[in-house]
Amino acid sequence: MSPTVASHQARHPVVLRDATKADDKKLSDVLARAFWDDPVMSWMIPNDRVRYVRQQYFYAAELSSVRKRGVVLTTDDQAGAALWLPPKQWKIPTRDLVSHGPGLLLAFARRIPVAIKLLEKIEKAHPTTPHWYLAILGTDPVRQGFGVGGALIEKMTQRCDTEGIGAYLESSKPTNVPYYERFGFVTTEVISVPGGPTLWGMWRDPR
């Protein structure tokens, strides 16, 4: 079942920092709650009763993998996380697939073949132009609407502008497309799986 979400009344200042291994447990929990009703995750883990727990295994593996190759940002109070991969580093290395295999198996179980097919679709649509890739962005549900996600995006899009390089992401919710457009992203690809979810590939040119 979806975890209980307490009310959050006051705006907390958004202070960003690099996430460390010590943050993984908390951030995997935050991301699991943020993506509990995500169309892709709901399709991958259709059982509501186990989705939250299984997602924690998945995000723990992702946090570990991305930290080795890219940038994992969070806030001082771990209110959200953004997993960014640098140019030419967006593909999952084979060694990571092997080392994180047990975690992925715990997360997706018999749905692993389905996950691979979806990954193949996503990789086929991925742009080849050098870019920073926003692989995962999630905010604690109690902090959504308080600027956490925007701060996690802008930290890196500012870097993209300085470096003169593009940025790319996939939105798994149509309602999030206008949100990303506010930061300069535009839809360039529509990725769909027969009987499964639709994702919107979105590109941002440097400014």
Side-chain angles (χ1 to χ4, degrees):
M1 296 178 67
S2 176
T4 300
V5 176
S7 62
H8 183 87
Q9 301 296 330
R11 178 183 291 271
H12 187 287
V14 180
V15 179
L16 301 183
R17 63 176 175 82
D18 290 330
T20 68
K21 185 177 181 180
D23 295 307
D24 283 2
K25 183 176 181 179
K26 173 63 177 178
L27 293 183
S28 61
D29 164 71
V30 166
L31 291 171
R33 288 187 287 112
F35 283 89
W36 186 83
D37 64 346
D38 178 77
V40 172
M41 283 299 178
S42 296
W43 182 64
M44 289 297 309
I45 311 173
N47 188 336
D48 292 354
R49 293 176 297 176
V50 301
R51 186 182 309 130
Y52 165 65
V53 173
R54 288 191 177 182
Q55 281 191 97
Q56 288 181 299
Y57 294 117
F58 170 72
Y59 290 117
E62 287 295 290
L63 287 161
S64 176
S65 176
V66 173
R67 187 181 299 107
K68 295 175 184 176
R69 299 176 286 136
V71 175
V72 179
L73 294 174
T74 188
T75 65
D76 62 340
D77 60 348
Q78 303 166 305
L83 284 64
W84 290 89
L85 289 165
K88 300 180 181 180
Q89 295 292 322
W90 57 269
K91 282 192 175 182
I92 303 172
T94 301
R95 65 178 182 276
D96 281 9
L97 286 174
V98 173
S99 63
H100 297 310
L104 296 177
L105 184 61
L106 286 169
F108 301 125
R110 297 179 181 178
R111 302 284 286 175
I112 286 285
V114 174
I116 292 174
K117 289 182 180 179
L118 177 59
L119 181 61
E120 289 174 347
K121 281 266 188 179
I122 292 173
E123 289 192 350
K124 185 176 181 180
H126 207 105
T128 56
T129 304
H131 61 277
W132 276 91
Y133 174 46
L134 179 54
I136 298 172
L137 172 70
T139 302
D140 191 323
V142 303
R143 293 291 303 281
Q144 291 176 4
F146 290 90
V148 174
L152 291 167
I153 293 173
E154 290 181 330
K155 175 72 172 180
M156 289 301 295
T157 55
Q158 289 172 3
R159 177 171 175 174
C160 289
D161 293 342
T162 299
E163 296 176 351
I165 196 169
Y168 181 76
L169 60 83
E170 293 106 8
S171 174
S172 54
K173 285 185 177 180
T175 52
N176 285 344
V177 171
Y179 174 77
Y180 291 121
E181 289 175 343
R182 289 165 44 192
F183 302 96
F185 289 89
V186 296
T187 300
T188 55
E189 297 282 348
V190 178
I191 308 160
S192 59
V193 177
T198 297
L199 296 94
W200 289 262
M202 304 188 71
W203 175 268
R204 181 187 184 275
D205 283 320
R207 298 175 176 175

